[in-house]
Amino acid sequence: MTTRRTARAGGIAAVYYLAMRTVLRAVVGVFAIVGVVASAERLFGQDVTPLARPLPTHIGIIVHDIEKTARKFEEVFGIKVPPINTSGMTSWADNPAGANVQWRVKLVSFPIGHMTIELVEPLEGPGPHRAFLDKFGQGMHHVAFAVQDRPGTFAFLKGKGATQVSATYTDMKDLLGFTVEVSPMPKQ
């Protein structure tokens, strides 16, 4: 009798063990599937925004006096700033301030290590640079990114609350702390 009970208890234990092992394998399988799905969602979700993989091109700084600021960059960073350029009159047909609004700036770009700095001094007209300088004073104005799809990027940024203020700028100062400049991806 004792041997039969032991054999029966051993058989029940073996069946229970096999059942639990099957359940644990199923649970592990479910977690594996959930992990794969979550990883795939994260990987594929990275391309949901047109700014998922932009090429940063420069940081734009609006200044009161471009010559003075350029000299200070040379002193502080030990670099040689190239000659400063003056733009022609610039306008943008879709400008919220009006289609006939025009502006002109002085600007210069130069590398510091792996980063490019663009200094911009507004000269005349009520463009985005003058508006920034009048409202915030001298400081970082924009970060420029080259993207594959400029129209799609502008539409995406506007959908996130940005205001397009020129043919290249979307004002996100209140949202991100800076303006986003959208440039075309360089041809390779």
Side-chain angles (χ1 to χ4, degrees), residues 161-181:
T163 303
Q164 190 168 354
V165 295
S166 79
T168 58
Y169 293 142
T170 55
D171 182 0
M172 298 193 81
K173 182 82 170 150
D174 293 337
L175 303 169
L176 298 177
F178 60 92
T179 293
V180 174
E181 180 176 340

Side-chain angles (χ1 to χ4, degrees), residues 19-168:
M20 288 307 295
R21 191 169 160 191
T22 303
V23 168
L24 287 175
R25 282 185 180 165
V27 168
V28 169
V30 167
F31 279 119
I33 290 169
V34 168
V36 168
V37 169
S39 295
E41 284 178 345
R42 265 183 292 186
L43 287 173
F44 292 119
Q46 289 178 358
D47 289 330
V48 170
T49 166
L51 287 167
R53 295 185 186 151
L55 176 64
T57 60
H58 66 269
I59 294 173
I61 302 170
I62 306 298
V63 298
H64 291 288
D65 183 335
I66 198 167
E67 286 85 3
K68 181 178 174 184
T69 306
R71 283 191 305 273
K72 196 52 80 174
F73 267 92
E74 288 177 334
E75 291 171 18
V76 171
F77 292 98
I79 60 169
K80 179 69 179 143
V81 173
I84 296 164
N85 298 306
T86 301
S87 75
M89 292 304 283
T90 303
S91 63
W92 177 51
D94 296 326
N95 193 331
N100 295 326
V101 173
Q102 295 186 328
W103 61 89
R104 197 164 62 97
V105 298
K106 284 184 182 178
L107 61 122
V108 65
S109 295
F110 51 90
I112 296 179
H114 295 287
M115 180 173 46
T116 299
I117 301 292
E118 178 184 75
L119 301 179
V120 182
E121 177 187 339
L123 292 178
E124 61 182 285
H129 309 99
R130 170 59 59 201
F132 178 90
L133 190 62
D134 290 349
K135 186 172 182 179
F136 302 106
Q138 183 167 288
M140 187 183 96
H141 174 253
H142 64 271
V143 179
F145 299 99
V147 299
Q148 294 291 342
D149 177 13
R150 287 184 76 219
T153 301
F154 284 123
F156 176 80
L157 292 172
K158 288 178 192 176
K160 295 296 180 189
T163 303
Q164 190 168 354
V165 295
S166 79
T168 58

